[in-house]
Amino acid sequence: MTSAVLPTVAVPGGRVEYDDVPGDPTRPPLLFLHEGLGSVGLWRGFHREVAEATGLRAVAYSRLGHGFSDPPPAPRAAGFMHEEAATVLPALCDSLGLRRPVLVGHSDGASIALLHAARIADLTGLVVLAPHVFVEPVGLEGVAAARKAFVEGDLRRRMGRHHRDPDVTFGNWNDVWMSAEFRDWDLRAELPGITCPVLGVQGTADPYGTVAHVEAVRDLARGAVELVVLDCGHAPHLELPAVTTSAVVRSVSSWT
């Protein structure tokens, strides 16, 4: 199955593709939010593995401008993650009947999940893989390196396998992160609004951020927070799949 044949659903701004894995209708579902250059397909089946291990329904979707979803109606600004959390997620959950979900977010998707959890109390739990909570110099270095790989290397070609328009996908992520207005982006003041249980997973060799991000979630969120720190980079679920999947399944199963 390729992303090009997935169903789509209307959200503010256009239609997004999604993969809906059936599960126990009496238990809370899972909703997966991908990274800054990600899509449904680039989860590499992780959402399906967690669904199978837990017996839960799992939905993964590609944000506007990602995968084979519609392009965004306008170039993104520094508040695009706040907008996704406040407008797209509620509409998506309503349309697909996702009640009291567990959000599973990676990178930018984890930040969106944190913002949504801070505003919506009716969540069962929250898993954040390599979240961004504030702008860190090492993270900006990683973003600059990605631009170099896109312009001078083969990143654009590789992205073309997974996105309808890799230039739009890359620009709407990289341009925001490299902009002057994004330097003051910081979610720490909003984290006390999170009351659901949280699992935070972070790699010690992540080129986009340090453990300070998951530690901020632990220190500021009001729900119970468990941290798992691993010897890996920015994608724990792909680099150390066994240990990451085990931690996620254990937490999700205890919450549901």
Side-chain angles (χ1 to χ4, degrees):
M1 183 180 64
T2 66
S3 293
V5 300
L6 290 174
T8 64
V9 62
V11 298
R15 298 188 68 87
V16 297
E17 64 173 0
Y18 67 97
D19 186 24
D20 195 341
V21 186
D24 187 343
T26 68
R27 299 166 65 201
L30 302 162
L31 177 58
F32 285 74
L33 293 81
H34 61 73
E35 62 163 319
L37 297 180
S39 67
V40 172
L42 286 168
W43 278 111
R44 308 290 187 186
F46 177 65
H47 63 295
R48 289 183 161 268
E49 294 172 9
V50 177
E52 181 178 2
T54 59
L56 299 176
R57 178 188 179 191
V59 172
Y61 78 103
S62 299
R63 293 193 293 276
L64 294 171
H66 294 257
F68 294 89
S69 295
D70 287 347
R76 291 194 177 122
F80 79 93
M81 286 185 263
H82 287 76
E83 182 178 354
E84 187 83 10
T87 63
V88 175
L89 282 192
L92 184 74
C93 288
D94 285 346
S95 293
L96 298 182
L98 304 175
R99 307 288 179 243
R100 300 197 68 246
V102 174
L103 302 184
V104 183
H106 175 216
S107 189
D108 283 15
S111 302
I112 293 166
L114 288 169
L115 286 164
H116 186 72
R119 292 166 167 77
I120 305 295
D122 197 24
L123 294 178
T124 295
L126 178 62
V127 176
V128 288
L129 310 171
H132 305 294
V133 174
F134 54 92
V135 175
E136 202 174 22
V138 65
L140 294 179
E141 291 172 7
V143 172
R147 183 185 288 269
K148 183 178 178 66
F150 187 83
V151 174
E152 301 178 12
D154 69 344
L155 179 57
R156 184 180 185 278
R157 178 185 59 81
R158 290 186 286 115
M159 286 182 60
R161 303 171 186 163
H162 305 285
H163 302 283
R164 176 180 293 167
D165 190 331
D167 295 293
V168 168
T169 303
F170 187 82
N172 272 304
W173 168 72
N174 198 265
D175 290 353
V176 171
W177 272 87
M178 296 294 289
S179 67
E181 65 177 331
F182 202 71
R183 295 297 187 270
D184 296 326
W185 184 87
D186 194 323
L187 307 186
R188 284 174 287 193
E190 307 197 45
L191 296 181
I194 299 172
T195 58
C196 65
V198 181
L199 171 66
V201 183
Q202 178 65 44
T204 56
D206 187 343
Y208 293 102
T210 68
V211 295
H213 297 268
V214 290
E215 290 174 342
V217 176
R218 177 198 63 195
D219 295 342
L220 295 171
R222 289 188 291 135
V225 178
E226 177 187 358
L227 299 188
V228 175
V229 179
L230 301 174
D231 183 18
C232 66
H234 190 56
H237 58 297
L238 301 180
E239 298 170 48
L240 293 175
V243 65
T244 303
T245 302
S246 177
V248 172
V249 169
R250 183 179 65 250
S251 290
V252 167
S253 297
S254 70
W255 302 335
T256 60

